[in-house]
Amino acid sequence: INQLHRISSKIIASILSFYLHIYTHNVSCRCMVVDFDELQRLGLVENDLPSLVELADHFYKANDYEKAFKCAYRATLRLYPSAERKLGFFYEKGIGTEGNYDKAYYYYMSAYKHHDVNAAYNLSLLAYQGLGCEKDYEKAFNYALEAIWTLVRRTNKYIDETAPWALAKDEANKPRLASVMYNLLETVRICTILLQPVMPDSCQKIFAQIGAC
């Protein structure tokens, strides 16, 4: 469990870079809002959930923790998973509100049930330390594994979305194919690192197959 926790933070950076790549290559994704007034209008007037989360991030970075908390809380009223995880973080760290591990665990669990990709990682840390719940190493271990398998499942979906076998048929798609294959191999490498404590023999075989260590 200690080894899993020492290396499992890498999953966050991997997921973020992985999703960023998907976002920038998917023209149907929601356009990023640049104008702050428009962002406030969308979030506070139109109650647009992604905009509320962006506002929470903005206010958090500006050290306006009370507004950050309010924006995240408002989005959780409609069960928005990323807002639930953010609110869990605010309760865990006492940001914009009084720290409360019970509420942190509650919102992390709600985000997890609504398929937030990172919430299993947060639940693992709390269960490992016995914060907001009874200390339970088995649960901590299982949540950590679930965080890894979530990334594996998303990688499988990425393969279906990008269809590298189809890209390989056209020379003009070579740069795109190279980018897709890099993302896939890098994600496989990181997942294999994370799974070493529980699947050491299989992971060594995977490393050999992809030429990594």
Side-chain angles (χ1 to χ4, degrees):
I1 293 175
N2 283 331
Q3 188 175 357
L4 269 176
H5 278 282
R6 283 197 300 270
I7 61 181
S8 62
S9 61
K10 293 181 180 180
I11 196 171
I12 304 301
S14 174
I15 291 171
L16 290 176
S17 62
F18 187 66
Y19 282 176
L20 178 61
H21 177 82
I22 294 172
Y23 182 89
T24 55
H25 285 83
N26 187 351
V27 294
S28 65
C29 284
R30 191 177 83 99
C31 294
M32 295 185 69
V33 177
V34 177
D35 182 74
F36 182 64
D37 290 335
E38 177 66 5
L39 181 63
Q40 290 193 98
R41 186 191 69 79
L42 286 171
L44 302 179
V45 178
E46 300 294 334
N47 210 30
D48 177 68
L49 298 180
S51 296
L52 280 170
V53 173
E54 287 183 46
L55 280 171
D57 286 334
H58 170 85
F59 289 128
Y60 174 72
K61 292 174 183 177
N63 298 325
D64 194 338
Y65 300 134
E66 185 177 346
K67 285 184 179 179
F69 178 87
K70 287 180 178 178
C71 288
Y73 179 77
R74 184 168 171 176
T76 63
L77 296 177
R78 291 171 60 190
L79 305 179
Y80 193 56
S82 62
E84 291 176 317
R85 179 170 52 82
K86 192 174 297 296
L87 200 66
F89 173 75
F90 289 162
Y91 273 119
E92 180 185 354
K93 304 300 181 183
I95 295 173
T97 186
E98 185 176 346
N100 188 315
Y101 289 121
D102 290 338
K103 288 186 177 180
Y105 188 86
Y106 170 83
Y107 281 106
Y108 285 145
M109 179 60 73
S110 185
Y112 173 71
K113 290 178 179 178
H114 295 135
H115 312 295
D116 184 278
V117 71
N118 291 324
Y121 171 79
N122 300 110
L123 287 169
S124 177
L125 292 177
L126 291 186
Y128 181 71
Q129 300 172 80
L131 301 175
C133 60
E134 291 186 11
K135 183 178 288 189
D136 190 326
Y137 293 135
E138 184 176 353
K139 278 188 177 180
F141 184 82
N142 289 334
Y143 283 135
L145 284 180
E146 178 60 23
I148 301 169
W149 293 129
T150 298
L151 179 57
V152 171
R153 289 191 292 270
R154 187 61 186 86
T155 304
N156 287 334
K157 186 176 180 181
Y158 180 66
I159 294 172
D160 293 335
E161 292 171 344
T162 56
W165 56 88
L167 293 174
K169 295 178 181 179
D170 189 343
E171 285 290 320
N173 290 326
K174 270 193 172 183
R176 172 69 172 138
L177 176 62
S179 178
V180 168
M181 295 307 297
Y182 171 82
N183 281 296
L184 289 173
L185 287 171
E186 180 64 3
T187 306
V188 168
R189 185 185 71 82
I190 290 175
C191 287
T192 306
I193 291 172
L194 294 169
L195 289 169
Q196 276 190 101
V198 291
M199 300 171 56
D201 294 337
S202 296
C203 287
Q204 287 304 313
K205 292 177 182 177
I206 295 173
F207 281 139
Q209 288 177 333
I210 65 175
C213 59

